[in-house]
Amino acid sequence: MSRVLVVGGTGLAGRAVTAEAIGRGHEVVVAARRVPDDDAESYVTGAAYVTADLVTGDGLEEAVDGVDVIVDTSNAVGKQAAHVFATGAQNLVHTAARFGVHRAVLLSIVGADQSGYAYYRAKAAQERAYLDSPLDTRIVRATQFHDFVTAIFDRGRPLGAVLAPTGTRFQPIAVSDVACVLVDAAEGGGEGRGEPDTVIHVGGPRVESARSLAEQWKRGSGSRRYILPIRLGGALGSTWRAGRNLVPEHAVDGLGYSAWVDSRA
Ligand SMILES: NC(=O)c1ccc[n+]([C@@H]2O[C@H](COP(=O)([O-])OP(=O)(O)OC[C@H]3O[C@@H](n4cnc5c(N)ncnc54)[C@H](OP(=O)(O)O)[C@@H]3O)[C@@H](O)[C@H]2O)c1
């Protein structure tokens, strides 16, 4: 059993990691700026919670004290992303190294190292902070979560539509499947091929067009909205159209998109 610190453990992926690590018998501490009440959706029974801020550094020493391994599932959007991913990662890895933390696992995104999209550039800076640290580091690059792909479709709601980016394919994955890979990495495992790789890729079970996934979402959710094809501009659009968000050779045998939609209906 290890003492695992899940940074951002109140978020979507972090909650799944916390539950998975507790289920495997680890002692889990969750760090975030806000600690949830024990009746909140983000509260995982069995975890201990500490308040810490990656950017200011407040609470980080208390959070890492006595920890064997860190799993970083923090997130931020807009201008905050650069602060949390670059500055925050530096603060965390340096504090962790001072306190003798052995291993760190970072949740990143497939293609984060190959895109001019500002959020991906911030993720790439976050990856570098980990790779340059003295910690035994694993970067787990995952494809888009089922929830994320669904959120894209749902952006058409004000128009009575389901948005489907044209020329784009996704390989969506369940956060529970990502959490298994992250906890494997926290335990020192790689991709199951013997050697513990520094960068681990993981994708959902199937690569499918945005249109096909939108149809599955409509069927499963009973939505009567029409599918609106849109061409996504900017660096993110070109990254996705080039297929740099896909890793079919690293597909998990996990929960597919339509089964996930059905499970939520
Ligand atoms: N969405 C996808 O499809 C996808 C795919 C692959 C990888 N990822 C990666 O997965 C990671 C997690 O995403 P998510 O959607 O699970 O995140 P999320 O639900 O937005 O959760 C973010 C977590 O980070 C914490 N946090 C934010 N700022 C912080 C700070 N300054 N100090 C400490 N904690 C802070 C939040 O708690 P507080 O706000 O209380 O601090 C929360 O616990 C991201 O790095 C993302 O790039 C996402």
Side-chain angles (χ1 to χ4, degrees):
M1 184 184 88
S2 297
R3 185 171 162 95
V4 180
L5 175 69
V6 184
V7 180
T10 57
L12 178 65
R15 292 196 299 274
V17 171
T18 300
E20 178 67 27
I22 288 172
R24 294 194 199 183
H26 298 294
E27 181 187 346
V28 178
V29 181
V30 166
R33 289 168 304 173
R34 288 170 296 255
V35 167
D37 294 332
D38 58 11
D39 58 353
E41 197 197 342
S42 56
Y43 182 87
V44 179
T45 303
Y49 286 84
V50 296
T51 305
D53 188 326
L54 287 165
V55 178
T56 64
D58 291 344
L60 284 186
E61 293 191 347
E62 294 79 354
V64 301
D65 196 8
V67 160
D68 301 300
V69 50
I70 290 171
V71 182
D72 185 348
T73 61
S74 62
N75 195 19
V77 291
K79 289 190 176 140
Q80 271 306 307
H83 296 302
V84 171
F85 292 149
T87 314
Q90 292 285 357
N91 287 340
L92 181 58
V93 295
H94 287 135
T95 310
R98 270 199 294 120
F99 276 73
V101 174
H102 173 58
R103 180 175 297 135
V105 179
L106 170 67
L107 175 55
S108 192
I109 308 176
V110 168
D113 56 331
Q114 298 174 55
S115 175
Y117 181 49
Y119 179 87
Y120 280 27
R121 288 206 316 269
K123 290 294 292 182
Q126 185 190 35
E127 288 190 357
R128 280 195 300 279
Y130 277 86
L131 292 169
D132 292 345
S133 81
L135 305 173
D136 174 22
T137 292
R138 309 276 193 282
I139 309 287
V140 174
R141 291 187 188 141
T143 55
Q144 280 67 46
F145 303 158
H146 293 324
D147 315 70
F148 180 83
V149 169
T150 304
I152 296 172
F153 298 154
D154 224 23
R155 284 195 162 205
R157 184 183 285 272
L159 304 169
V162 176
L163 297 191
T166 54
T168 300
R169 292 172 301 153
F170 292 110
Q171 189 182 349
I173 187 166
V175 285
S176 52
D177 287 326
V178 177
C180 284
V181 176
L182 286 163
V183 178
D184 287 348
E187 291 173 342
E191 288 185 271
R193 294 186 188 129
E195 84 285 19
D197 304 290
T198 303
V199 179
I200 297 163
H201 291 95
V202 60
R206 276 178 297 281
V207 174
E208 295 176 271
S209 69
R211 170 132 206 143
S212 162
L213 291 161
E215 282 163 357
Q216 291 170 43
W217 182 75
K218 275 190 59 158
R219 261 197 309 278
S221 65
S223 169
R224 297 169 69 95
R225 290 186 255 151
Y226 71 102
I227 294 175
L228 176 62
I230 50 145
R231 184 177 166 84
L232 198 64
L236 184 61
S238 51
T239 299
W240 285 355
R241 280 190 297 280
R244 290 198 283 269
N245 58 329
L246 308 172
V247 281
E249 66 282 21
H250 298 286
V252 288
D253 182 18
L255 184 68
Y257 186 69
S258 70
W260 177 83
V261 173
D262 289 347
S263 74
R264 293 166 58 90

